[in-house]
Amino acid sequence: MSQENIYIRFDWAMKHMLRDKSNFGILEGFISVLLGEDVKIVELLESESNQETDTDKFNRVDIKAKNSKGHLIIVEVQLTRQLYYLQRILYGTCKAITEHINIGEKYDQVKKVYSISILYCDYGQGDDYVYHGETRFKGIHTGSDLLVNTKEEGVIVPHLPREVFPEYYLVRVNVYDKIPETPLDEWMTYLKTGKVKENTRTPGLQEVKKKLQYLSMSTKERRAYDAHMDTIMVQNDVLDTARDEGRAEGRAEGRAEGRAEGVAQVARNLIEAGMEDKMICGVTGLSQQDLESIRSSTK
């Protein structure tokens, strides 16, 4: 691929470029293709993970937005595996809901939340590259969906629970491996390889070609971007090596004890590699207290 056709990775764009209103079209295009409906972003909301250093931002980067319907949309790129990832995205949607309803307001002010996770790590087992989760209330005998009445502008309107409860999308970038045939496939190709089809008409990707070209960055921006990509490569290598060594240690110790020792060994390897405590805890699922205990035992 020639340098003219190299486009900036999505996680970097989310941190540095997609927060600009003039670039909302890229994010709108991706969300619209994924959800299967036209999405217009009205504003970006304050996000909890706006740290600035490469180490802080290596694990994940996210954007929280409000669309024209008043729904909240969380788009998150996850770069390393996390043991309690499902629990964390559940917490994230609950936090978004509670942050956007004031004490004393009626429950009709609760916002619908879409949580979209773009995973660049091996997470779970399955034969698809996109998974969708929603809350449905089904009759245990009839299998029929429950309709719940709510009041909107003085009129009683029936709603399915999934129209109110959060929805989750897990986009598994690493397992995508096919020739693009649909707009979603084209987005998956870009997310995985940075390639965009020359004559694409897919929403958002036309804007990617115009605004996220590698050569359009200044020399300073390009150096920062190259350093970011180098960090990802090094960190992935460190994590893979640590996990392999931890698994080997665990197999030698037996099943139950071995699993615990395997996690501890991964933590030791990451400590030796100089990784920050917060990230080690995220990767291994250990608490800070457990990590301190492991560190003390190795001295």
Side-chain angles (χ1 to χ4, degrees), residues 11-291:
D11 60 310
W12 178 268
M14 280 177 60
K15 179 183 176 184
H16 295 277
M17 300 173 178
L18 302 191
R19 301 175 190 276
D20 187 326
K21 193 165 186 176
S22 64
N23 293 329
F24 279 7
I26 296 171
L27 196 60
E28 289 171 345
F30 170 67
I31 298 170
S32 297
V33 168
L34 184 64
L35 270 56
E37 61 177 270
D38 188 37
V39 173
K40 295 297 180 186
I41 294 174
V42 176
E43 62 176 317
L44 296 187
L45 306 168
E46 186 59 34
S47 174
E48 66 175 14
S49 62
N50 288 334
Q51 301 100 337
E52 288 302 321
T53 68
D54 278 334
T55 305
D56 286 341
K57 296 302 294 182
F58 171 70
N59 195 40
R60 68 187 176 102
V61 58
D62 62 23
I63 281 181
K64 185 164 64 175
K66 181 187 289 185
N67 70 6
S68 56
K69 296 179 180 179
H71 299 157
L72 305 178
I73 301 173
I74 303 169
V75 182
E76 178 176 305
V77 175
Q78 181 74 19
L79 297 170
T80 62
R81 188 174 180 275
Q82 192 170 40
L83 287 176
Y84 301 110
Y85 189 71
L86 290 181
Q87 290 88 336
R88 193 171 65 69
I89 62 175
L90 172 62
Y91 173 79
T93 58
C94 294
K95 189 168 184 285
I97 291 169
T98 55
E99 283 178 344
H100 291 89
I101 184 169
N102 296 319
I103 295 175
E105 286 186 329
K106 294 190 296 183
Y107 291 123
D108 62 353
Q109 297 303 307
V110 169
K111 304 298 183 184
K112 166 83 174 183
V113 179
Y114 293 90
S115 172
I116 301 169
S117 298
I118 303 171
L119 305 173
Y120 282 92
C121 50
D122 294 329
Y123 186 80
Q125 299 176 12
D127 57 4
D128 207 330
Y129 50 89
V130 179
Y131 283 86
H132 175 219
E134 61 183 11
T135 300
R136 300 180 68 181
F137 288 75
K138 296 180 70 68
I140 62 172
H141 299 104
T142 65
S144 61
D145 284 302
L146 176 69
L147 281 170
V148 180
N149 291 332
T150 58
K151 191 174 182 180
E152 292 182 6
E153 298 179 358
V155 179
I156 301 298
V157 180
H159 278 295
L160 290 166
R162 58 188 169 88
E163 297 176 73
V164 178
F165 282 79
E167 292 185 39
Y168 300 88
Y169 288 84
L170 301 181
V171 181
R172 303 169 73 215
V173 176
N174 286 354
V175 302
Y176 175 76
D177 185 18
K178 59 182 290 190
I179 297 172
E181 299 175 351
T182 67
L184 182 56
D185 288 346
E186 286 193 41
W187 262 102
M188 294 298 299
T189 299
Y190 163 63
L191 292 174
K192 185 169 185 176
T193 68
K195 296 179 181 178
V196 179
K197 196 163 67 174
E198 189 63 35
N199 59 346
T200 185
R201 292 181 176 274
T202 294
L205 289 182
Q206 297 175 64
E207 287 86 349
V208 166
K209 292 187 66 176
K210 294 175 185 175
K211 299 181 178 182
L212 299 189
Q213 194 172 58
Y214 176 77
L215 292 183
S216 68
M217 290 193 290
S218 68
T219 301
K220 181 179 179 180
E221 290 170 335
R222 207 178 302 162
R223 285 174 181 163
Y225 177 71
D226 289 342
H228 170 72
M229 295 305 296
D230 287 343
T231 299
I232 287 175
M233 292 177 67
V234 171
Q235 294 279 26
N236 279 336
D237 185 56
V238 168
L239 289 171
D240 288 343
T241 301
R243 287 196 189 100
D244 288 343
E245 291 177 353
R247 289 191 190 104
E249 185 78 18
R251 284 194 294 270
E253 295 291 332
R255 288 189 177 180
E257 291 183 5
R259 280 195 293 272
E261 179 55 31
V263 171
Q265 186 58 45
V266 170
R268 292 187 197 102
N269 295 338
L270 296 178
I271 290 170
E272 290 178 6
M275 188 174 287
E276 289 190 354
D277 287 4
K278 185 177 179 181
M279 188 172 174
I280 297 174
C281 292
V283 170
T284 61
L286 294 169
S287 67
Q288 183 65 42
Q289 184 177 357
D290 291 337
L291 187 60

